[in-house]
Amino acid sequence: MLRHTALALILSVSPAFADEIWVSNEKDDTISVIDIETMEVVRTIDVGERPRGITFSQDYSVLYVCASDSDTVQVIDPETGEVLHELPSGEDPEQFVLHPDDRHLYIANEDDAITTVVDTQTRKVVAQIDVGIEPEGMAVSPDGEIAITTSETTNMAHWIDTKTQELFANTLVDSRPRHAEFVREGSELWVSAEIGGTITVFDRETQAEKAKINFEVEGVHPDRVQPVGFELTEGDTHAFVALGPANHVAVVNAETYEVEDYILVGRRVWHMDFNADRSLLFTTNGVSGDVTVIDVAKREPLKSIKVGRYPRGAAFRPTN
Amino acid sequence: MNVVRNAALVALTCIMFAGNPGHAQEMSIAWLKVAEDLPPTLSNLDPVPDNLGAAGAETALADNATTGRFMGQDWSLQTFTVALGDDPSDTARQALAKTRFVIVDAPADALLSIADLPEAQGAVLMNAGSEDATLRAEACRANVLHTLPSVAMRTDALAQLLVKKKWDDLVMIAGGHARDQAFAASVEASFAKFGLTLAGRKEWRFDADMRRNAAQEVPLFTQDFGRYDALIVADEYHDFGRYVLYNTWEPRPIVGSEGLTAEAWGKAVEQWGAAQLQSRFFDEHARSMEPRDYAAWAAMRALGEAVTRTKSNDPAVLLDYMLGDDFELAGFKGRPLTFRTWNGQLRQPIPLLHPRALVANAPLEGFLHQRTELDTLGLDAPESACTAFN
């Protein structure tokens, strides 16, 4: 009898869907949803024009999408794929970051040299901050005190005090910065420079440059080794760095800042995200229009998954 | 046509930002345009913009000024123009009295006369208007850097594409203007460099109005070329070339000044973030960015990059930095742009374009070089007779 009840209980629970990776397809105006179990695209969702940055709210109940050419941030119900509403984003939103308060989005407005801060609850613009030309990379410290915008043509990381929404420092990096992340509980800021071919590591307290990471891929001219997106493994021990047209992802030791490995992926690799336990990494490959799945422990590519045209952003969504 | 007839100082543009500390670093740049005698063309479809080049300098000024706001620099641009037929020396002296940084849009002979002025010694001149190959060779000057690609870089890019496509049976029609002849000569030199041969060459000497006669004349004119893979048209003012397309005896592609072209920049360049620069330029000037706009943009941005990195406005320091190993310009062409130390030419990929899309980006895959593949385009160190930078 007891066994019977237990069985009924199990059956009554909805079937366990696999976790997902969501990928924005910049030139198809769609999002491809990849099932992590089967490693196949199980849904394609129509979104606004030129979707680039994507991120989920902390409880994964909504997806935010930078629809760059629609000049808006769309808020999407991940269950239905429907656009719930739109947020005022400023013109040409490219990338954004969600503040740890789960409420404020910091958005880079690429065409306007502005960072827009939007309250996702009131759906109002809280602040607009003048930054350098072509802002793109966005990061926020884990304690929420500092937000970062990097500007591609001005070649700077702009440090924003999130209490006053004002700049308190501007630090030079190498040419064409693309992506920024706080590392080691927010004690370091890492900024990639696409044309400079480097990642600059800053000390958070002093905003002073602490280290510079260089890359060298055998058989690829240094000009073509262009670090863009990157993500850190569990415990921030290693960074996986997309090298753009070098078609490789570098594995960087985050203690020594040395590159330990290079992994071959698809063409013009942009951004990436991990699965739940960070054993798998999914990279978006813009030119080849696919996603490479990397075995993080073995540092080997496992599979390519065809998605839409010019996949750009990637975001993990748990479903259990 | 399209010649600015007012001499001397035309405009003073100044971008300053409020709220800077009082000790801002001044960076004043001059745009010096020496009017060029443009021949009439059969079609009026594509007028040469009055602000060709200057518009690119203005867009880059805004880029530099934004960075300058964070760096404590004040950027400004002054425009100087020399009317057709006037001696450029007086106006050049005025410009050089105001600043040591001059972006020059001038024919080669005028550029040289400016570079050789006593007042220009120790100044930095950026050539954004002449693609003359001799300026990168025996006639080079140590105070002149070149951001416009040389004609040799363009025709080398074209030759690489022809080799890649295995279009090796080639013929050419060349116009009669000096620039047409220089382009044609450069095509022949590039063919020699990349092992292509020109099977036939004819000079365009028609003086009829081709808008009415092209259909009748061009088939006959091209009939005795026989069979070929591609026809090169050397028509740098876009006079007759447009009427050759679709009117040849043989159904073959047209490349060179029309059809598939090799230029520093074009409307169809959109990769590597170029779409951002294109839209910024279009918003500001209500037209698309042309090769000479790009050269002026690159000249201004190269100065901006040098000032930002060195935190200096000393011309010797900036020139040294731009020619050094640490300089790199993000020029929306997919790889860093640097200057050749032997002749001051800005290394850059050359897009191969038709009016609606990019066909390829030179250097093409497979053309190798011990230093950088970019040096397969234009005058490499051993080929350049330039000694001014030694």
Side-chain angles (χ1 to χ4, degrees):
Chain A
M1 180 64 200
L2 190 67
R3 272 173 76 183
H4 197 77
T5 314
L7 186 64
L9 195 68
I10 289 167
L11 286 174
S12 69
V13 174
S14 58
F17 290 105
D19 294 346
E20 295 167 341
I21 293 287
W22 290 49
V23 172
S24 59
N25 300 306
E26 187 177 344
K27 302 239 169 169
D28 263 356
D29 302 346
T30 58
I31 284 175
S32 301
V33 180
I34 295 168
D35 178 312
I36 292 181
E37 280 301 311
T38 62
M39 294 200 189
E40 279 172 4
V41 174
V42 288
R43 271 197 290 168
T44 301
I45 297 167
D46 287 332
V47 293
E49 287 176 41
R50 203 176 177 204
R52 293 195 274 181
I54 54 174
T55 195
F56 285 97
S57 60
Q58 281 173 9
D59 64 0
Y60 299 93
S61 62
V62 293
L63 174 78
Y64 301 105
V65 179
C66 285
S68 299
D69 285 0
S70 303
D71 297 328
T72 190
V73 166
Q74 294 181 316
V75 183
I76 290 175
D77 178 345
E79 294 297 334
T80 63
E82 271 167 34
V83 177
L84 299 171
H85 57 266
E86 295 187 340
L87 295 172
S89 65
E91 263 189 68
D92 195 22
E94 176 165 7
Q95 302 273 18
F96 51 17
V97 66
L98 185 62
H99 191 274
D101 66 12
D102 200 26
R103 179 167 175 175
H104 291 95
L105 276 174
Y106 283 74
I107 306 168
N109 298 118
E110 185 169 40
D111 270 0
D112 271 3
I114 281 173
T115 295
T116 297
V117 188
V118 176
D119 184 331
T120 57
Q121 287 179 12
T122 63
R123 303 180 195 173
K124 293 217 163 77
V125 172
V126 173
Q128 288 203 306
I129 303 148
D130 285 332
V131 293
I133 302 278
E134 292 172 33
E136 169 154 346
M138 297 296 307
V140 64
S141 60
D143 61 12
E145 285 178 8
I146 302 171
I148 298 289
T149 301
T150 66
S151 47
E152 285 175 87
T153 290
T154 300
N155 302 325
M156 278 182 174
H158 305 282
W159 302 63
I160 300 165
D161 180 335
T162 56
K163 287 196 189 70
T164 59
Q165 312 291 12
E166 280 174 10
L167 298 178
F168 68 93
N170 301 285
T171 48
L172 275 174
V173 293
D174 288 330
S175 287
R176 237 174 142 65
R178 284 287 199 170
H179 189 77
E181 290 280 344
F182 279 93
V183 178
R184 265 183 238 285
E185 285 123 34
S187 64
E188 290 177 356
L189 174 74
W190 290 29
V191 179
S192 65
E194 181 182 34
I195 290 291
T198 58
I199 286 180
T200 303
V201 179
F202 290 99
D203 176 60
R204 171 196 165 144
E205 285 309 312
T206 59
Q207 297 95 48
E209 187 177 315
K210 195 173 165 183
K212 199 165 265 189
I213 302 165
N214 289 284
F215 303 89
E216 209 171 305
V217 184
E218 205 179 311
V220 180
H221 192 275
D223 283 4
R224 312 286 289 174
V225 179
Q226 302 181 354
V228 281
F230 58 91
E231 293 293 333
L232 283 109
T233 55
E234 198 58 51
D236 286 4
T237 62
H238 291 85
F240 281 66
V241 183
L243 296 179
N247 308 335
H248 281 76
V249 166
V251 184
V252 177
N253 183 317
E255 303 256 334
T256 62
Y257 310 120
E258 298 290 327
V259 183
E260 294 181 351
D261 267 306
Y262 293 98
I263 303 162
L264 183 65
V265 294
R267 294 178 61 203
R268 203 173 182 195
V269 54
W270 266 122
H271 289 283
M272 61 190 76
D273 206 355
F274 290 98
N275 65 343
D277 64 5
R278 303 205 179 194
S279 61
L280 297 173
L281 180 67
F282 297 77
T283 69
T284 55
N285 310 317
V287 172
S288 48
D290 51 23
V291 164
T292 302
V293 187
I294 292 172
D295 181 321
V296 172
K298 289 187 183 155
R299 300 181 182 175
E300 281 172 4
L302 290 176
K303 193 180 177 189
S304 298
I305 303 165
K306 180 91 188 88
V307 290
R309 293 190 294 176
Y310 283 79
R312 171 79 170 231
F316 167 73
R317 176 181 179 243
T319 50
N320 294 305
Chain B
M1 59 189 277
N2 295 309
V3 166
V4 179
R5 297 194 186 275
N6 291 346
L9 190 68
V10 163
L12 176 76
T13 322
C14 199
I15 295 190
M16 304 268 284
F17 283 92
N20 255 346
H23 309 291
Q25 195 172 36
E26 294 288 329
M27 265 310 279
S28 171
I29 312 290
W31 166 257
L32 174 57
K33 180 176 175 62
V34 180
E36 186 189 358
D37 191 9
L38 296 173
T41 54
L42 289 171
S43 169
N44 299 320
L45 284 173
D46 303 296
V48 178
D50 286 335
N51 63 351
L52 183 64
E58 284 167 20
T59 293
L61 178 76
D63 291 357
N64 286 358
T66 303
T67 307
R69 192 174 44 148
F70 299 110
M71 300 290 295
Q73 306 153 357
D74 282 337
W75 285 84
S76 61
L77 176 67
Q78 295 184 51
T79 300
F80 299 83
T81 56
V82 179
L84 194 59
D86 284 359
D87 180 354
S89 303
D90 285 345
T91 311
R93 281 193 196 95
Q94 288 176 34
L96 287 159
K98 298 266 185 198
T99 172
R100 309 308 289 157
F101 306 98
V102 186
I103 305 172
V104 186
D105 178 10
D109 52 349
L111 175 65
L112 288 178
S113 72
I114 293 164
D116 291 341
L117 288 172
E119 292 84 349
Q121 304 320 301
V124 178
L125 309 184
M126 307 291 278
N127 167 26
S130 174
E131 58 178 24
D132 188 309
T134 62
L135 293 175
R136 285 85 171 166
E138 62 272 16
C140 71
R141 297 291 189 270
N143 55 352
V144 183
L145 300 183
H146 313 272
T147 53
L148 190 68
S150 65
V151 64
M153 290 166 74
R154 291 175 56 211
T155 58
D156 282 353
L158 206 54
Q160 288 189 359
L161 185 84
L162 296 170
V163 169
K164 191 95 178 175
K165 302 291 288 182
K166 299 195 174 65
W167 294 347
D168 45 17
D169 192 353
L170 300 158
V171 296
M172 177 158 66
I173 302 174
H177 298 294
R179 269 180 67 195
D180 301 338
Q181 291 293 312
F183 184 83
S186 189
V187 165
E188 295 204 22
S190 295
F191 281 13
K193 177 174 172 180
F194 291 100
L196 293 165
T197 46
L198 194 63
R201 171 172 167 165
K202 296 181 85 171
E203 307 299 315
W204 185 265
R205 289 289 182 268
F206 287 82
D207 48 17
D209 184 342
M210 278 300 133
R211 279 175 301 179
R212 279 185 290 277
N213 292 331
Q216 288 91 0
E217 299 296 339
V218 172
L220 295 172
F221 186 72
T222 56
Q223 190 176 10
D224 53 2
F225 278 136
R227 299 298 291 252
Y228 56 86
D229 293 330
L231 167 62
I232 293 104
V233 170
D235 173 35
E236 291 288 274
Y237 296 101
H238 307 289
D239 179 25
F240 64 90
R242 67 182 74 217
Y243 305 109
V244 178
L245 270 79
Y246 302 103
N247 278 316
T248 51
W249 184 259
E250 290 287 334
R252 293 290 181 271
I254 309 281
V255 304
S257 306
E258 292 291 342
L260 184 117
T261 59
E263 299 279 5
W265 194 254
K267 190 178 156 186
V269 178
E270 54 182 347
Q271 272 190 316
W272 310 112
Q276 273 96 257
L277 178 59
Q278 301 276 27
S279 72
R280 208 154 68 230
F281 186 93
F282 193 89
D283 288 348
E284 287 163 22
H285 308 292
R287 64 174 177 83
S288 53
M289 193 175 199
E290 300 198 14
R292 285 216 239 173
D293 297 312
Y294 180 81
W297 178 89
M300 179 68 90
R301 281 290 302 125
L303 289 168
E305 189 62 21
V307 171
T308 297
R309 300 293 172 185
T310 61
K311 300 183 173 62
S312 168
N313 57 5
D314 178 334
V317 170
L318 297 185
L319 187 63
D320 199 46
Y321 181 79
M322 287 191 283
L323 287 166
D325 290 340
D326 293 334
F327 176 83
E328 56 184 15
L329 180 65
F332 300 92
K333 288 190 168 193
R335 49 169 85 196
L337 311 185
T338 53
F339 285 99
R340 290 181 178 144
T341 52
W342 56 89
N343 65 1
Q345 169 70 52
L346 186 70
R347 284 187 185 94
Q348 53 192 299
I350 302 290
L352 291 143
L353 304 153
H354 69 76
R356 288 171 59 82
L358 179 80
V359 175
N361 217 356
L364 276 84
E365 210 179 329
F367 291 90
L368 303 178
H369 190 282
Q370 68 277 16
R371 192 180 304 105
T372 159
E373 296 104 68
L374 289 173
D375 285 344
T376 63
L377 304 174
L379 296 177
D380 197 2
E383 297 152 4
S384 168
C386 176
T387 55
F389 291 87
N390 293 351

